[in-house]
């Protein structure tokens, strides 16, 4: 009976000039995410986008749609012949399935076919009566119903729309441009990446590795985290760039005052990110920094560290509490991966008493003791790219085991 | 040589032997070593687990590789009950379980647990109503086997699941040895908290078993050691065994329908040959049965005698009771079902496989009939 799913794009309708482009991008992202469901067909009618189910189980499609950026809401639409008996039966069938979730309801009818023998009012009344008779405990509320059943009577058939299901909102992936995501293996940075992606910023992921202080397992952790985002990334592809950071970290440790170690390290990272951004069409840096969480994330630190860049630094989690971040991490299935206990470069070389209010002048004078630019250029030249895609799980250590099963 | 003791064990396939050799030679490192070689092996172990999960359509489950179904059953039962020692808790099982389940329950009884041993009816099935009557607020675990290994009775697992669902704190353990890879389940494996089975009954290798459990369960293992397999089964993981286990599972499920059809025909032949014939009593049920098992009592002849006599004709079956001048071991399943010592002692278990041929079956039937005539006559003299 379920015919199709109607997709509603929210914020897009505000952007009049680029609306068509946005809708096309969003629709293509949806098609890509639903690639495995071969029976689905797609239709665009004006600003509405329909997924024709063709027998596919709507529940699976819905669980994917709920995660696609740019989708504001959607409804499952069922269809029947345009006569009162069929309309009432279908309405009852739908209500029975959904009725566990609410007590009060309302029926709204739109009669597009003016030749239909009853008025919208009459149709609403008759459907409502049929529902009352067959579902005990149901109450009507025309002003503030918990559930609204929409009926559309047209020449080619009658359509009943289930309750609007909220999507994840945001903007179609990639519609806003690209950003460089500073990704560690922690809880926060991947959540920051998820939120940027949701708001239309396609991400190029940059990870600082310091072998032998950091291990392959730490890198695998980062891969596993990003693979959680690939199904909803632009073209379902995320590039992970691994920057060899050991030499720089050692140079900082050897040449800088101990308490400025973290500050200088972050300044180097930001520089690398900006240089990278300029050669990879990225318009901003994105990271999981949170005000006050660790020494490098006080406002003073952010100021001293941020001074090295002139592109925007987006910190989606800046004002979130840890619990709120953890909640999102669990929702996007990254939490369990993040808590795997492998060192990343941020936990190695940690000073005993990091400077939480670093002075810019002091940071600059510490930096001038050594030529870091050469090491920065070297690190960028030796950066390795790993392409991640939902089709294939990337193993940092190749087991050469593809043929075993 | 005609083999009809597949319920005891099966021959491993050539492919599995080759796979075991390959893994043993190329992936011999310790899965828990922190270096690349160890990680490479651990990744393969994860892949094996994913194969099992995908084959059985499992969600939110964890897998522990053990040395056998017996150790898997032990881990399941003690894994739950060890956390409740001294708390007067109640556990439920059946009278027809495999010793690796029954003896755990008997042991826990001596340690203070209240135990209910469910009866079976004369066909060998438990009654889910009995479970409802037995459950109390103290009940923490219930173990019910899927397919009985003596007579082949398929227990009403989907009914048990419905009952257990009403009690979220109650854990359901199913010994799946006779069913996984052989019988298409009429229930969802995901509804079982603890599921066990072994590879060597499915043309896999001996020395491996598996416990599949709900991921939010914390097991309190009797085995103490390192942190391999999250501490549930310490000891260096047998990677070759685990990979072969996953492959065996994959193959068995792939061939399930085809094998089932073949074996069903053989089972039908046996039923037709012995049903309603004097001196023969078929102990296997005629509904909800696994066609892989056929248990037959030849009244007046000890099962052991039949078995040895068949052996003389190079046909191998099994008995599950033993009786001699000094001692008597009566099969628990048959006694629970019939309460008839003679019928129990006179029983043989014929277990079938797709590896048998129709001519095997014909020969078996003829030989049994020939033996019966020969030896029964003698006894009646």
């Amino acid at each position: 009976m379920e015919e199709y799913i109607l997709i509603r794009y929210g914020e897009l309708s505000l952007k009049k000039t680029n609306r068509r482009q946005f809708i096309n991008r969003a629709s293509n992202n949806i098609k890509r995410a639903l690639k495995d469901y071969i029976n689905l067909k797609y239709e665009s009618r004006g600003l509405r986008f329909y997924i024709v189910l063709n027998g596919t189980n709507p529940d699976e499609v819905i669980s994917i749609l709920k995660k696609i950026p740019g989708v504001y809401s959607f409804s499952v639409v069922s269809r029947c012949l345009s006569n009162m008996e069929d309309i009432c039966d279908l309405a009852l069938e739908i209500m029975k399935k959904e009725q566990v979730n609410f007590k009060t309801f309302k029926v709204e009818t739109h009669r597009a076919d003016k030749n239909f023998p009853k008025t919208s009012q009459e149709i609403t009344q008759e459907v409502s009566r049929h529902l009352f008779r067959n579902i005990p405990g149901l109450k009507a509320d025309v002003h503030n119903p918990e559930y609204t059943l929409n009926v559309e009577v047209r020449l080619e058939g009658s359509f009943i729309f289930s309750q609007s299901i909220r999507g994840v909102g945001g903007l179609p992936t990639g519609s806003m441009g690209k950003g460089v995501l500073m990704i560690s293996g922690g809880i926060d940075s991947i959540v920051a990446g998820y939120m940027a992606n949701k708001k239309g910023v396609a991400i190029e992921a940059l990870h600082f590795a310091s072998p032998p202080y950091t291990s392959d397992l730490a890198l695998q952790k980062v891969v596993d985290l990003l693979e959680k985002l690939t199904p909803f990334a632009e073209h379902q592809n995320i590039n992970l760039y691994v920057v060899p950071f050991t030499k720089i970290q050692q140079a900082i440790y050897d040449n800088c005052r101990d308490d400025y170690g973290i500050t200088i390290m972050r300044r180097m990272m930001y520089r690398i990110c900006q240089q990278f951004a300029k050669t990879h069409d990225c318009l901003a840096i994105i990271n999981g920094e949170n005000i006050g969480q660790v020494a490098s994330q006080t406002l003073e630190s952010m100021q001293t560290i941020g001074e090295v860049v002139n592109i925007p630094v987006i910190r989606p989690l800046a004002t979130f509490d840890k619990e709120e971040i953890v909640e999102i991490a669990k929702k996007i299935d990254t939490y369990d991966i993040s808590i795997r206990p492998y060192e990343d470069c941020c936990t190695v070389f940690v000073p005993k008493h990091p400077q939480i209010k670093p002075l810019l002048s002091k940071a600059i004078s510490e930096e001038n003791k050594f030529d870091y630019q050469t090491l920065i250029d070297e690190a960028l030249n030796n950066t390795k790219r790993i392409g991640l895609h939902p089709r294939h799980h990337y193993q940092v250590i190749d087991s050469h085991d593809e043929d075993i099963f | 040589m005609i083999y009809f003791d597949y319920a005891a064990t099966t021959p491993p396939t050539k492919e599995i032997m080759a796979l075991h050799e390959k893994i043993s030679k190329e992936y011999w490192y310790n899965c828990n070593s922190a270096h690349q070689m160890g990680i490479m092996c651990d990744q393969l172990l994860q892949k094996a687990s994913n194969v099992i999960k995908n084959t059985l359509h499992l969600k939110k489950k964890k897998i522990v590789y053990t040395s056998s179904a017996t150790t898997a059953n032990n881990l399941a039962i003690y894994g739950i009950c060890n956390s409740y020692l001294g708390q007067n808790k109640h556990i439920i099982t059946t009278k027809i379980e495999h010793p690796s389940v029954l003896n755990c329950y008997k042991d826990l009884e001596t340690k203070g647990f209240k135990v209910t041993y469910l009866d079976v009816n004369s066909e060998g099935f438990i009654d889910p109503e009995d479970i409802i009557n037995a459950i109390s607020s103290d009940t923490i675990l219930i173990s019910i086997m899927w397919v009985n290994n003596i007579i082949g009775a398929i227990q009403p697992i989907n009914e048990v699941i419905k009952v257990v669902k009403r009690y979220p704190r109650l854990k359901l353990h199913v010994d799946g040895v006779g069913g996984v890879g052989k019988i298409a389940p009429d229930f969802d494996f995901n509804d079982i908290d603890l599921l066990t089975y072994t590879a060597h009954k499915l043309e896999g290798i001996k020395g491996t078993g598996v416990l599949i459990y709900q991921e939010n369960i914390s097991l309190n293992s009797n085995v103490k050691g390192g942190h391999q397999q999250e501490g549930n089964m310490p000891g260096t993981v047998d990677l070759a065994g685990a990979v072969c286990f996953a492959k065996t599972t994959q193959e068995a499920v792939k061939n399930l329908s085809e094998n089932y059809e073949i074996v069903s025909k053989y089972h039908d032949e046996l039923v037709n040959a012995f049903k309603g014939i004097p001196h023969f009593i078929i102990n296997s049920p005629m509904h909800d049965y696994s066609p892989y098992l056929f248990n037959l009592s030849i009244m007046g002849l000890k099962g052991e005698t039949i078995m040895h006599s068949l052996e003389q004709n190079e046909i191998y079956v099994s008995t599950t009771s033993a009786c001699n001048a000094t001692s008597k071991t009566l099969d628990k399943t048959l006694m629970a079902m019939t309460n008839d010592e003679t019928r129990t002692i006179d029983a043989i278990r014929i277990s079938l496989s797709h590896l048998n041929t129709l001519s095997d079956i014909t020969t078996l039937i003829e030989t049994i009939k020939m033996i019966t005539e020969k030896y029964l006559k003698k006894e009646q003299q």
Side-chain angles (χ1 to χ4, degrees), chain A residues 215-217 220 393 395-405, chain B residues 19 22-23 27 36 39-40 43-44 47-48 51 243 246-247 250:
Chain A
S215 68
D216 289 320
L217 288 173
Q220 186 66 52
H393 170 63
Q395 285 179 329
V396 172
I397 294 162
D398 194 352
S399 305
H400 305 289
D401 57 18
E402 296 80 33
D403 54 339
I404 291 177
F405 287 108
Chain B
L19 181 60
K22 176 184 162 90
I23 308 299
Y27 296 86
Q36 282 192 3
I39 293 171
M40 182 181 78
Q43 278 172 174
L44 182 54
K47 213 171 203 175
V51 166
V243 170
K247 189 72 172 175
Q250 208 179 36

Side-chain angles (χ1 to χ4, degrees), chain B residues 246-265:
Chain B
K247 189 72 172 175
T248 299
T249 304
Q250 208 179 36
E251 288 296 299
V253 171
K254 189 174 86 173
N255 300 323
L256 196 151
S257 303
E258 199 186 311
N259 291 345
Y260 185 93
E261 250 194 74
I262 295 171
V263 173
S264 288
K265 289 205 187 79

Side-chain angles (χ1 to χ4, degrees), chain B residues 133-148:
Chain B
N133 294 332
I135 291 181
S136 74
S137 54
D138 287 330
T139 315
I140 55 161
L141 176 68
I142 172 166
S143 296
I144 312 271
M145 68 198 321
W146 181 2
V147 178
N148 176 269

Side-chain angles (χ1 to χ4, degrees), chain A residues 82-337:
Chain A
S82 287
N83 64 67
M84 281 319 299
E85 199 183 323
D86 284 351
I87 293 172
C88 287
D89 283 345
L90 182 57
L92 181 61
E93 193 186 313
I94 293 174
M95 284 292 267
K96 274 201 173 140
K97 252 202 299 186
E98 315 259 313
Q99 208 253 325
V100 278
N101 300 320
F102 59 88
K103 288 236 163 59
T104 62
F105 84 106
K106 172 174 98 155
V107 174
E108 248 182 45
T109 307
H110 173 65
R111 189 183 59 137
D113 172 20
K114 296 304 173 194
N115 290 322
F116 193 79
K118 296 198 190 246
T119 64
S120 302
Q121 187 76 307
E122 287 168 334
I123 298 169
T124 297
Q125 280 173 1
E126 207 171 311
V127 171
S128 303
R129 241 179 286 135
H130 186 75
L131 294 173
F132 280 131
R133 244 181 272 135
N134 289 285
I135 300 180
L138 204 56
K139 287 197 168 74
D141 184 342
V142 292
H143 300 295
N144 239 345
E146 285 168 36
Y147 187 96
T148 304
L149 194 75
N150 287 292
V151 178
E152 241 182 61
V153 180
R154 291 192 232 138
L155 192 61
E156 66 267 28
S158 288
F159 298 84
I160 303 191
F161 296 59
S162 77
Q163 182 83 322
S164 229
I165 303 170
R166 283 285 266 152
V168 80
L171 294 165
T173 307
S175 56
M176 295 282 97
K178 291 204 295 183
V180 186
L181 172 70
M182 297 172 73
I183 184 153
S184 69
I187 301 171
D188 303 340
S189 52
I190 187 67
V191 175
Y194 161 78
M195 294 177 77
N197 185 65
K198 185 163 80 83
K199 204 67 182 183
V201 182
I203 55 180
E204 300 273 37
L206 203 87
H207 174 69
F208 295 92
S210 299
Y213 297 101
T214 61
S215 68
D216 289 320
L217 288 173
L219 181 57
Q220 186 66 52
K221 204 180 18 156
V222 173
V223 166
D224 293 347
L225 287 170
L226 288 169
E227 283 183 341
K228 289 290 177 189
L229 295 191
T230 51
F232 312 104
E234 194 174 24
H235 304 296
Q236 296 197 313
N237 186 65
I238 293 180
N239 289 318
L240 167 63
Y241 293 88
V242 187
V243 180
F245 201 57
T246 322
K247 277 194 187 169
I248 295 176
Q249 269 194 294
Q250 271 166 342
I252 297 170
Y253 186 72
D254 291 338
N255 293 289
C256 291
R257 221 173 81 173
D258 187 56
D259 60 336
Y260 271 74
I262 296 277
T263 313
I264 307 300
M265 183 187 80
R266 294 297 285 178
R267 280 169 64 95
M268 296 301 154
M269 285 178 164
Y270 271 49
R271 284 195 176 95
I272 289 173
C273 285
Q274 178 159 276
Q275 254 175 263
F276 175 91
K278 299 210 163 148
T279 53
H280 288 79
D281 289 325
C282 295
L283 303 169
I285 293 172
I286 303 154
N287 63 44
E289 284 174 4
N290 188 260
I291 298 172
Q293 193 185 210
V294 292
S296 60
Q297 294 174 17
T298 57
L299 291 179
E300 289 87 347
S301 284
M302 285 188 195
Q303 194 175 61
T304 302
I305 294 167
E307 183 262 344
V308 302
V309 294
N310 52 29
I311 59 175
V313 177
I314 314 278
R315 301 174 176 90
L317 308 178
T319 61
F320 282 40
D321 284 343
K322 197 68 187 180
E323 290 81 41
E324 292 170 300
I325 301 172
V326 166
E327 201 184 307
I328 302 176
K330 286 185 175 167
K331 191 182 77 173
I332 62 174
D333 216 18
T334 59
Y335 182 73
D336 286 335
I337 300 172

Side-chain angles (χ1 to χ4, degrees), chain B residues 69-71 73-74 77 97-105 173 175:
Chain B
T70 292
T71 45
N73 282 334
N74 268 258
I77 296 164
E97 293 299 306
H98 186 269
S100 64
V101 170
L102 260 178
N103 288 333
C104 290
Y105 273 72
H173 161 223
D175 176 346

